[in-house]
Amino acid sequence: MAERKVPDVINQETVRREASGVLADGEFSLTDLWIEFFARGGMAGIEEFEAFIQGMMPVENSDLQILDVTLVELQNP
């Protein structure tokens, strides 16, 4: 399996839409997704995480990178 390089700057809206899609599919709850994100080093609390997913606030680029990696890993086990 090819290793995926994470870009230095990731589009917040793209990641937010992807996360929303994962939640809409019903395979993961918000809490499940947050736990996976947090386990990989994400620093945003669950309230901040939920606000980001709902488009109410941005997150730090480091958290965005971790969420992006989390989504890729969950969708490609």
Side-chain angles (χ1 to χ4, degrees):
M1 181 170 169
E3 192 170 321
R4 181 172 183 254
K5 182 176 178 346
V6 178
D8 291 332
V9 177
I10 301 172
N11 184 288
Q12 295 243 350
E13 185 59 24
T14 300
V15 175
R16 189 194 70 72
R17 278 194 311 262
E18 190 174 337
S20 294
V22 166
L23 295 174
D25 289 344
E27 192 169 333
F28 296 94
S29 69
L30 178 72
T31 302
D32 294 334
L33 184 57
W34 177 78
I35 289 171
E36 293 289 339
F37 158 81
F38 191 75
R40 288 170 176 79
M43 298 300 292
I46 194 161
E47 295 87 7
E48 294 169 291
F49 187 79
E50 182 175 21
F52 169 71
I53 301 294
Q54 293 176 355
M56 297 170 54
M57 68 179 282
V59 293
E60 295 292 326
N61 192 55
S62 58
D63 277 344
L64 196 62
Q65 289 177 337
I66 292 169
L67 179 55
D68 188 49
V69 168
T70 300
L71 292 166
V72 169
E73 290 178 358
L74 292 176
Q75 293 174 3
N76 301 300

